[in-house]
């Protein structure tokens, strides 16, 4: 039986492990750098039908109904006065039991972990080197060395695997933006609310049936090298409060008061698509490519990529990187375009953008092409 090492117990690595668990044709181990997974985190995640379709194949429809929400629309608002610009009916892309879903990331991880035998998951396992002769020899920080036939790198945006393979070129780049994440209670709208401001946007969506909502804002911010690498800066309360006040003052919602448990982090994206030379090393999820977070496809693509990789291995085919590269380019262009359009500041540009938004949000052909293509798999 071929042996697979999965590096990283995030969304992609755990979903891949679920597919292996169901199939039983391979033996596998998951190596996770952290000493545990946070299953209490209250922040949210959006999953479009393409990933729900795949998750349902491993029993996601049985998840507690109280822990998930099915928003039907994305409502666009002008952040400064909360005036509605337009809406997009995302439920149009739902099919049978596969519906656009929002929930807490921790609930998704808990679901993905439930079918993985504990003895296959190794915490405190930080990959530091890879030697590739006949077999792949993986070296961990605790001096553990193990041999495998395949390596599936699902170690996220700061992928160590990628750094080992591509050195400096494997590092992501700062996206000149900062994310503020938080929780809101008792927000009035159970769909996805997207507020557009000058050089920022924020999104509020429900994450359970208990009046819990996720708040996420992406704010443009140029930082110098020293600031980016200073992780304490992003934990500094005055830095966080300044950012929140900055967007709060440009919105008629009292964000400073309403948003709780705020966390702040710099946004990094991949520099380019990179394919390893070794035929038995596969990058998946954010380790393969990390998108600007303005299209909410990161988690869904991490799941899709793991599924494509599993099918490739099963069918002894070599299409994985070809298919992934194509899909990645489609999503990257949409994510970058959204980021640009959401953050316009010149009033004339904003006026024209809003006219386009009103028209395109009701244009079937455009929606089928822009969203439908991505949401079908
Ligand atoms: C602000 C923001 C908002 C987002 N919102 C959404 C959203 O609404 N919808 C959506 O679809 N996506 C969203 N995303 C993106 C999404 O969170 C990611 O794309 C997704 O989590 C990637 O999954 P992954 O499994 O590739 O990586 P991760 O979930 O990051 O998991 C990687 C794992 O690898 C481990 N690891 C790292 N290094 C090593 C090592 N050397 N050895 C062993 N283990 C290691 C890590 O500890 C971690 O557990 C958002 C991202 C950001 C930044």
């Amino acid at each position: 039986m071929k042996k697979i090492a999965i590096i990283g117990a995030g969304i992609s690595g755990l979903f891949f492990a679920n597919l292996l668990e169901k199939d039983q044709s391979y033996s596998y181990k998951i190596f996770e750098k952290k000493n545990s997974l946070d299953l209490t985190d209250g922040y949210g995640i959006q999953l479009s039908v393409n990933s729900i379709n795949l998750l349902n194949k491993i029993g996601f429809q049985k998840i507690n109904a109280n822990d998930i929400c099915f928003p039907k629309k994305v409502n666009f608002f002008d952040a400064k006065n909360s005036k509605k610009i337009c809406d997009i009916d995302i439920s149009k892309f739902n099919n049978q039991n596969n519906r656009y879903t929002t929930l807490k990331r921790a609930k998704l991880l808990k679901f993905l972990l439930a079918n993985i035998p504990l003895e296959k998951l190794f915490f405190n396992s930080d990959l530091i080197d890879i030697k590739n002769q006949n077999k792949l020899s993986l070296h961990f920080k605790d001096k553990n060395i193990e041999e495998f036939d395949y390596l599936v790198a699902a170690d996220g945006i700061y992928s160590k695997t990628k750094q080992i393979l591509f050195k400096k070129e494997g590092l992501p780049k700062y996206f000149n933006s900062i994310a503020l994440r938080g929780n809101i209670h008792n927000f009035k709208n159970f769909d996805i609310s997207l507020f557009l401001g000058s050089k920022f946007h924020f999104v509020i969506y429900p994450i359970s049936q208990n009046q819990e909502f996720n708040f996420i804002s992406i704010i443009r911010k140029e930082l110098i090298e020293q600031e980016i690498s200073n992780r304490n800066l992003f934990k500094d309360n005055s830095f966080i409060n300044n950012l929140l006040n900055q967007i709060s003052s440009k919105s008629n919602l009292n964000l400073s008061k309403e948003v709780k448990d705020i966390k702040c982090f710099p946004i990094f994206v991949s520099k380019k698509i990179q394919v390893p030379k070794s035929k038995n090393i596969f990058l998946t999820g954010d380790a393969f490519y990390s998108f600007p977070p303005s299209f909410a496809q990161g988690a869904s693509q991490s799941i899709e990529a793991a599924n494509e990789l599993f099918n490739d291995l099963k069918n002894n085919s070599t299409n994985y990187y070809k298919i992934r590269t194509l899909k990645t380019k489609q999503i990257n262009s949409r994510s970058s375009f959204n980021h640009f359009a959401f953050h316009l500041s010149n009033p004339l540009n904003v006026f024209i953008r809003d006219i386009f938004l009103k028209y395109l949000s009701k244009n079937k052909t455009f929606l089928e092409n822009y969203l439908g293509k991505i949401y079908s798999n």
Side-chain angles (χ1 to χ4, degrees), residues 70-74 88-92 94 190-192:
F70 303 120
K72 291 193 173 65
K73 284 178 178 180
V74 179
I88 291 179
D89 181 0
I90 44 171
S91 72
K92 270 193 188 146
N94 293 348
F190 282 83
D191 285 318
I192 299 169

Side-chain angles (χ1 to χ4, degrees), residues 2-7 27-31 132 134-138 140 145-151 280:
K2 297 268 191 204
K3 280 177 75 183
I4 302 181
I6 300 171
I7 307 297
S27 75
Y28 73 93
K29 286 183 178 180
I30 308 173
F31 297 97
N132 197 353
N134 288 339
K135 284 207 164 198
L136 282 165
S137 166
L138 306 186
F140 295 89
I145 302 173
E146 295 199 35
E147 286 197 334
F148 290 89
D149 297 293
Y150 299 107
L151 164 61
N280 48 357

Side-chain angles (χ1 to χ4, degrees), residues 105-240:
R105 175 189 287 260
K107 295 286 178 193
L108 176 61
L109 287 180
K110 203 171 168 188
F111 163 77
L112 291 172
L113 267 178
N115 292 323
I116 312 285
L118 276 182
E119 65 273 15
K120 295 187 182 172
L121 179 51
F122 297 82
F123 287 108
N124 295 312
S125 296
D126 188 357
L127 180 75
I128 53 164
D129 203 8
I130 305 167
K131 301 265 186 299
N132 197 353
Q133 277 119 21
N134 288 339
K135 284 207 164 198
L136 282 165
S137 166
L138 306 186
H139 297 239
F140 295 89
K141 207 173 180 177
D142 60 2
K143 305 225 163 32
N144 180 26
I145 302 173
E146 295 199 35
E147 286 197 334
F148 290 89
D149 297 293
Y150 299 107
L151 164 61
V152 173
D155 47 354
I157 170 75
Y158 307 105
S159 171
K160 189 63 190 267
T161 314
K162 221 167 162 179
Q163 287 173 47
I164 295 168
L165 296 177
F166 302 107
K167 311 282 180 264
K168 264 191 160 175
E169 275 306 291
L171 286 167
K173 63 176 184 209
Y174 177 57
F175 189 56
N176 287 327
S177 303
I178 289 184
L180 280 186
R181 252 185 176 183
N183 298 317
I184 295 188
H185 282 268
N186 298 321
F187 191 68
K188 295 286 168 278
N189 198 319
F190 282 83
D191 285 318
I192 299 169
S193 305
L194 170 54
F195 294 83
L196 308 182
S198 160
K199 299 192 177 148
F200 73 93
H201 74 273
F202 60 88
V203 187
I204 300 172
Y205 58 85
I207 46 173
S208 78
Q209 297 297 329
N210 304 330
Q211 303 287 334
E212 296 173 293
F213 294 80
N214 184 74
F215 169 88
I216 172 83
S217 181
I218 310 296
I219 305 159
R220 283 199 191 209
K221 191 142 183 82
E222 307 256 339
L223 292 175
I224 55 168
E225 201 61 47
Q226 253 177 339
E227 291 173 313
I228 299 167
S229 50
N230 174 11
R231 289 297 142 126
N232 288 331
L233 177 69
F234 302 98
K235 293 182 184 142
D236 182 82
N237 279 337
S238 64
F239 181 75
I240 296 175

Side-chain angles (χ1 to χ4, degrees), residues 8 10-12 32-33 46 105 125-127 181 286 298-299 302:
I11 295 169
S12 202
E32 167 57 48
K33 184 166 87 170
Q46 301 180 42
R105 175 189 287 260
S125 296
D126 188 357
L127 180 75
R181 252 185 176 183
D286 278 10
S302 298

